Amino acid sequence: MRPEERRSQILDAARRVLEADPHRELTVELVAAEAQVSPALLFHYFGSKKKFQYAVIEEAAAEVMLRTAPDLSLPPEEQLRSGIRAFVRAVLEAPQLYRATLLMSAAGDPAVRALHTELRQVFSRWVIDAVAASGTEVTPAVELLCHGWQGYVEQTLLTWIENPTVSPDTLEHLCEGSLAALLTTV
Protein backbone atom coordinates (compact mmCIF):
# COMPACT_ATOMS: atom_id res chain seq x y z
CA MET A 1 0.00 0.00 0.00
CA ARG A 2 1.03 3.58 -0.55
CA PRO A 3 1.85 5.42 2.68
CA GLU A 4 -1.32 7.56 2.61
CA GLU A 5 -3.45 4.43 2.01
CA ARG A 6 -1.82 2.60 4.92
CA ARG A 7 -2.26 5.63 7.17
CA SER A 8 -5.93 5.82 6.17
CA GLN A 9 -6.33 2.08 6.81
CA ILE A 10 -4.95 2.51 10.33
CA LEU A 11 -7.20 5.50 11.06
CA ASP A 12 -10.21 3.53 9.76
CA ALA A 13 -9.25 0.71 12.10
CA ALA A 14 -9.12 3.15 15.01
CA ARG A 15 -12.62 4.30 14.14
CA ARG A 16 -13.89 0.69 14.05
CA VAL A 17 -12.32 0.01 17.46
CA LEU A 18 -14.06 3.07 18.90
CA GLU A 19 -17.40 2.17 17.33
CA ALA A 20 -17.22 -1.45 18.50
CA ASP A 21 -16.72 -0.45 22.13
CA PRO A 22 -16.83 3.31 22.62
CA HIS A 23 -15.98 3.05 26.32
CA ARG A 24 -12.79 1.09 25.75
CA GLU A 25 -9.47 2.91 25.72
CA LEU A 26 -8.00 3.35 22.26
CA THR A 27 -4.60 1.65 22.39
CA VAL A 28 -1.94 1.21 19.74
CA GLU A 29 -2.15 -2.57 20.20
CA LEU A 30 -5.92 -2.72 19.65
CA VAL A 31 -5.76 -0.56 16.54
CA ALA A 32 -2.77 -2.43 15.12
CA ALA A 33 -4.61 -5.72 15.59
CA GLU A 34 -7.76 -4.33 13.94
CA ALA A 35 -5.73 -2.95 11.02
CA GLN A 36 -3.80 -6.22 10.81
CA VAL A 37 -0.46 -4.46 11.11
CA SER A 38 2.22 -4.56 13.75
CA PRO A 39 2.37 -1.85 16.42
CA ALA A 40 5.81 -1.01 15.02
CA LEU A 41 4.27 -0.25 11.62
CA LEU A 42 1.72 2.02 13.27
CA PHE A 43 4.59 3.90 14.94
CA HIS A 44 6.37 4.04 11.57
CA TYR A 45 3.41 5.90 10.03
CA PHE A 46 2.60 8.16 12.97
CA GLY A 47 5.93 8.50 14.80
CA SER A 48 4.61 8.16 18.34
CA LYS A 49 1.54 7.26 20.35
CA LYS A 50 0.88 10.97 20.91
CA LYS A 51 1.03 11.73 17.17
CA PHE A 52 -1.20 8.75 16.45
CA GLN A 53 -3.76 9.94 19.01
CA TYR A 54 -3.62 13.43 17.52
CA ALA A 55 -4.28 12.05 14.02
CA VAL A 56 -7.31 10.13 15.31
CA ILE A 57 -8.59 13.24 17.12
CA GLU A 58 -7.97 15.44 14.09
CA GLU A 59 -9.94 13.13 11.81
CA ALA A 60 -12.79 12.90 14.31
CA ALA A 61 -12.86 16.69 14.72
CA ALA A 62 -13.08 17.18 10.97
CA GLU A 63 -16.00 14.75 10.86
CA VAL A 64 -17.78 16.49 13.75
CA MET A 65 -17.42 19.84 12.00
CA LEU A 66 -18.93 18.38 8.84
CA ARG A 67 -21.78 16.67 10.68
CA THR A 68 -22.70 19.71 12.74
CA ALA A 69 -22.45 22.27 9.93
CA PRO A 70 -25.74 24.13 9.70
CA ASP A 71 -28.18 23.12 7.00
CA LEU A 72 -28.97 26.54 5.60
CA SER A 73 -32.13 25.23 3.94
CA LEU A 74 -33.70 24.78 7.41
CA PRO A 75 -35.27 27.56 9.48
CA PRO A 76 -32.76 29.03 11.99
CA GLU A 77 -34.31 27.33 15.04
CA GLU A 78 -34.14 23.93 13.33
CA GLN A 79 -30.56 24.58 12.18
CA LEU A 80 -29.64 25.11 15.81
CA ARG A 81 -31.57 22.09 17.06
CA SER A 82 -30.19 19.74 14.42
CA GLY A 83 -26.63 21.01 14.94
CA ILE A 84 -26.79 20.45 18.70
CA ARG A 85 -28.27 16.97 18.22
CA ALA A 86 -25.63 16.08 15.63
CA PHE A 87 -22.87 17.23 18.00
CA VAL A 88 -24.23 15.18 20.92
CA ARG A 89 -24.65 12.09 18.70
CA ALA A 90 -21.10 12.44 17.35
CA VAL A 91 -19.77 12.52 20.92
CA LEU A 92 -21.88 9.53 21.95
CA GLU A 93 -20.55 7.49 19.03
CA ALA A 94 -16.96 7.94 20.22
CA PRO A 95 -17.09 9.06 23.86
CA GLN A 96 -13.55 8.00 24.74
CA LEU A 97 -12.20 9.99 21.81
CA TYR A 98 -14.11 13.08 22.97
CA ARG A 99 -12.97 12.56 26.55
CA ALA A 100 -9.36 12.11 25.44
CA THR A 101 -9.54 15.28 23.34
CA LEU A 102 -10.74 17.37 26.26
CA LEU A 103 -8.26 15.83 28.70
CA MET A 104 -5.31 16.23 26.33
CA SER A 105 -6.36 19.82 25.66
CA ALA A 106 -6.67 20.54 29.39
CA ALA A 107 -3.30 18.90 30.02
CA GLY A 108 -1.71 21.47 27.77
CA ASP A 109 -0.90 19.49 24.64
CA PRO A 110 -0.46 22.50 22.30
CA ALA A 111 -1.52 20.72 19.11
CA VAL A 112 -4.66 19.23 20.68
CA ARG A 113 -5.45 22.52 22.44
CA ALA A 114 -5.23 24.39 19.12
CA LEU A 115 -7.48 21.81 17.42
CA HIS A 116 -9.98 21.89 20.29
CA THR A 117 -10.00 25.71 20.25
CA GLU A 118 -10.63 25.73 16.50
CA LEU A 119 -13.48 23.23 16.85
CA ARG A 120 -15.03 25.27 19.67
CA GLN A 121 -14.73 28.51 17.68
CA VAL A 122 -16.40 26.99 14.62
CA PHE A 123 -19.21 25.48 16.68
CA SER A 124 -19.68 28.71 18.68
CA ARG A 125 -19.86 30.74 15.49
CA TRP A 126 -22.55 28.42 14.11
CA VAL A 127 -24.53 28.69 17.34
CA ILE A 128 -24.20 32.49 17.48
CA ASP A 129 -25.17 32.83 13.82
CA ALA A 130 -28.23 30.61 14.33
CA VAL A 131 -29.23 32.56 17.44
CA ALA A 132 -28.93 35.80 15.43
CA ALA A 133 -30.89 34.35 12.49
CA SER A 134 -33.69 33.34 14.86
CA GLY A 135 -34.17 36.99 15.80
CA THR A 136 -32.09 37.41 18.95
CA GLU A 137 -29.85 40.47 18.95
CA VAL A 138 -26.28 39.26 19.34
CA THR A 139 -24.79 41.48 22.00
CA PRO A 140 -21.49 40.85 23.81
CA ALA A 141 -23.55 39.27 26.60
CA VAL A 142 -25.23 36.87 24.16
CA GLU A 143 -21.87 35.91 22.65
CA LEU A 144 -20.43 35.30 26.13
CA LEU A 145 -23.48 33.25 27.04
CA CYS A 146 -23.07 31.07 23.91
CA HIS A 147 -19.40 30.42 24.68
CA GLY A 148 -20.22 29.62 28.31
CA TRP A 149 -23.05 27.32 27.24
CA GLN A 150 -20.56 25.37 25.17
CA GLY A 151 -18.50 24.76 28.33
CA TYR A 152 -21.68 23.53 30.04
CA VAL A 153 -22.33 21.12 27.16
CA GLU A 154 -18.77 19.78 27.31
CA GLN A 155 -19.00 19.13 31.06
CA THR A 156 -22.47 17.61 30.74
CA LEU A 157 -21.22 15.22 28.05
CA LEU A 158 -18.11 14.29 30.06
CA THR A 159 -20.23 13.58 33.12
CA TRP A 160 -22.63 11.46 31.06
CA ILE A 161 -19.76 9.51 29.50
CA GLU A 162 -18.54 8.56 32.98
CA ASN A 163 -22.02 7.85 34.33
CA PRO A 164 -24.83 7.60 31.74
CA THR A 165 -27.78 8.11 34.08
CA VAL A 166 -30.18 9.45 31.43
CA SER A 167 -31.06 8.34 27.93
CA PRO A 168 -29.24 9.80 24.92
CA ASP A 169 -32.51 11.51 23.92
CA THR A 170 -32.72 13.17 27.34
CA LEU A 171 -29.09 14.21 27.04
CA GLU A 172 -29.79 15.85 23.67
CA HIS A 173 -32.81 17.60 25.17
CA LEU A 174 -30.75 18.92 28.12
CA CYS A 175 -28.09 20.34 25.83
CA GLU A 176 -30.63 21.89 23.48
CA GLY A 177 -32.98 23.20 26.18
CA SER A 178 -30.21 24.72 28.27
CA LEU A 179 -29.29 27.15 25.50
CA ALA A 180 -32.88 28.29 25.11
CA ALA A 181 -33.18 28.71 28.88
CA LEU A 182 -29.96 30.70 29.11
CA LEU A 183 -30.99 32.98 26.27
CA THR A 184 -34.03 34.04 28.32
CA THR A 185 -31.65 35.59 30.87
CA VAL A 186 -30.24 38.27 28.56
Side-chain angles (χ1 to χ4, degrees), residues 95-172:
Q96 288 303 85
L97 182 58
Y98 183 72
R99 186 175 162 278
T101 302
L102 294 180
L103 293 176
M104 288 172 71
S105 177
D109 183 301
V112 174
R113 179 172 281 163
L115 181 63
H116 179 234
T117 298
E118 179 187 351
L119 183 61
R120 285 189 95 204
Q121 287 173 344
V122 168
F123 192 68
S124 289
R125 185 77 270 155
W126 291 338
V127 169
I128 292 166
D129 290 347
V131 166
S134 66
T136 300
E137 180 185 355
V138 177
T139 63
V142 169
E143 285 198 24
L144 184 61
L145 180 144
C146 289
H147 289 289
W149 168 78
Q150 193 166 359
Y152 160 82
V153 169
E154 286 179 354
Q155 186 58 51
T156 300
L157 292 170
L158 280 177
T159 302
W160 189 91
I161 289 166
E162 295 299 321
N163 188 18
T165 57
V166 299
S167 72
D169 288 339
T170 300
L171 184 63
E172 286 177 17

Side-chain angles (χ1 to χ4, degrees), residues 47 51 53 56 60 73 79 88 110 123 135 159:
K51 288 179 182 176
Q53 288 174 331
V56 173
S73 69
Q79 286 179 36
V88 171
F123 192 68
T159 302

Side-chain angles (χ1 to χ4, degrees), residues 34-103:
E34 177 66 26
Q36 299 179 348
V37 299
S38 70
L41 188 62
L42 191 141
F43 283 113
H44 170 75
Y45 283 98
F46 294 94
S48 68
K49 180 179 179 179
K50 190 173 179 179
K51 288 179 182 176
F52 165 68
Q53 288 174 331
Y54 178 81
V56 173
I57 289 168
E58 183 179 41
E59 187 171 275
E63 183 179 325
V64 167
M65 283 198 263
L66 283 174
R67 288 175 62 177
T68 59
D71 180 350
L72 300 177
S73 69
L74 297 174
E77 293 85 7
E78 187 54 34
Q79 286 179 36
L80 191 55
R81 245 187 320 277
S82 66
I84 293 168
R85 288 181 194 144
F87 181 75
V88 171
R89 282 186 211 120
V91 170
L92 298 186
E93 287 174 11
Q96 288 303 85
L97 182 58
Y98 183 72
R99 186 175 162 278
T101 302
L102 294 180
L103 293 176

